[in-house]
Amino acid sequence: GAVVSQHPSWVICKSGTSVKIECRSLDFQATTMFWYRQFPKQSLMLMATSNEGSKATYEQGVEKDKFLINHASLTLSTLTVTSAHPEDSSFYICSANPLGGNNSYEQYFGPGTRLTVT
Amino acid sequence: GQNIDQPTEMTATEGAIVQINCTYQTSGFNGLFWYQQHAGEAPTFLSYNVLDGLEEKGRFSSFLSRSKGYSYLLLKELQMKDSASYLCAEKNRDDKIIFGKGTRLHILP
């Protein structure tokens, strides 16, 4: 089946630093990838839609200058949390839709990245 | 935005049946998902409904009524490993998947 990986799986950083999270589709190509954030005991909140070769679209209330998204190839999207603060500590999950997939509803999730900002 | 409503927590007994209900806002509806999520892990796909009716897949079934903006996930022959959060999610006209807050299901022996 389709596999999506994320790197790193967990990261601890100091307040004020930036952290980059990678999302890769390992055995399929994806023009669209999604980034979600999940706080403890809450559901996934869609942050932004990453579009290959064009700018990401952000959900209301998500700062595009703080959460930089780059989707430079059909298999890789990156999320950079700039000037991280403790309130950015969360579980970040990406998902991807296979290009030309058999089922239009297919969306595969990565294993998530747990970010802790101290 | 979409208002997806599902119970916060439910408890059931091993071997029993449990039904988790979900209501959603019907405007812009483009499909209804159910996902299972264990603590600290990413969600795993359970089902997708776009037409009215019941979809059965082993121990899990999902039902959809588009006119009522209502879905349920039915879990049969509950096992301890079914203890998890179950997320109802709606796909909108922009193909974005919007998640509900999830239902934490506790299975008792």
Side-chain angles (χ1 to χ4, degrees):
Chain A
V3 177
V4 175
S5 71
Q6 283 185 238
H7 178 81
S9 55
W10 60 270
V11 57
I12 300 173
C13 71
K14 292 187 177 180
S15 187
T17 61
S18 294
V19 174
K20 181 187 284 188
I21 302 170
E22 293 185 348
C23 176
R24 291 182 186 272
S25 54
L26 297 186
D27 50 1
F28 65 94
Q29 293 181 325
T31 54
T32 304
M33 293 183 175
F34 299 91
W35 286 97
Y36 294 85
R37 179 168 54 181
Q38 186 175 33
F39 293 106
K41 296 190 177 182
Q42 296 188 24
S43 192
L44 281 75
M45 296 297 295
L46 179 64
M47 298 176 67
T49 303
S50 174
N51 305 297
E52 189 268 336
S54 65
K55 291 182 179 180
T57 54
Y58 291 80
E59 296 300 301
Q60 192 173 7
V62 178
E63 300 174 58
K64 62 180 181 180
D65 294 329
K66 180 170 179 63
F67 298 99
L68 302 178
I69 291 173
N70 184 280
H71 193 152
S73 77
L74 289 172
T75 59
L76 173 64
S77 174
T78 60
L79 168 69
T80 301
V81 183
T82 63
S83 187
H85 291 285
E87 56 265 31
D88 298 322
S89 298
S90 188
F91 192 47
Y92 291 86
I93 305 174
C94 72
S95 69
N97 291 93
L99 182 64
N102 292 328
N103 297 307
S104 62
Y105 60 82
E106 286 177 319
Q107 186 169 118
Y108 298 96
F109 284 85
T113 296
R114 186 160 301 284
L115 170 64
T116 302
V117 184
T118 61
Chain B
Q2 286 131 307
N3 295 316
I4 300 173
D5 193 36
Q6 56 181 126
T8 305
E9 289 191 77
M10 297 183 71
T11 302
T13 306
E14 190 176 15
I17 299 173
V18 71
Q19 177 174 312
I20 304 174
N21 296 323
C22 171
T23 57
Y24 62 89
Q25 190 173 303
T26 56
S27 73
F29 175 79
N30 198 19
L32 195 291
F33 292 86
W34 284 96
Y35 287 86
Q36 180 192 63
Q37 186 180 28
H38 286 98
E41 299 180 12
T44 55
F45 170 82
L46 292 178
S47 67
Y48 175 71
N49 295 67
V50 66
L51 300 176
D52 290 348
L54 186 68
E55 297 271 347
E56 297 186 74
K57 193 184 296 183
R59 294 191 299 116
F60 293 3
S61 302
S62 58
F63 172 83
L64 178 68
S65 169
R66 288 173 297 171
S67 62
K68 295 180 180 177
Y70 168 70
S71 174
Y72 68 71
L73 179 69
L74 191 72
L75 292 79
K76 303 176 184 176
E77 301 169 19
L78 286 170
Q79 302 174 9
M80 297 304 293
K81 67 178 182 179
D82 296 331
S83 292
S85 286
Y86 291 86
L87 310 177
C88 176
E90 180 183 355
K91 187 176 181 182
N92 65 15
R93 61 167 65 95
D94 297 322
D95 281 343
K96 295 177 183 177
I97 297 180
I98 308 300
F99 286 83
K101 288 182 165 46
T103 298
R104 286 192 297 280
L105 177 63
H106 306 280
I107 308 296
L108 302 177

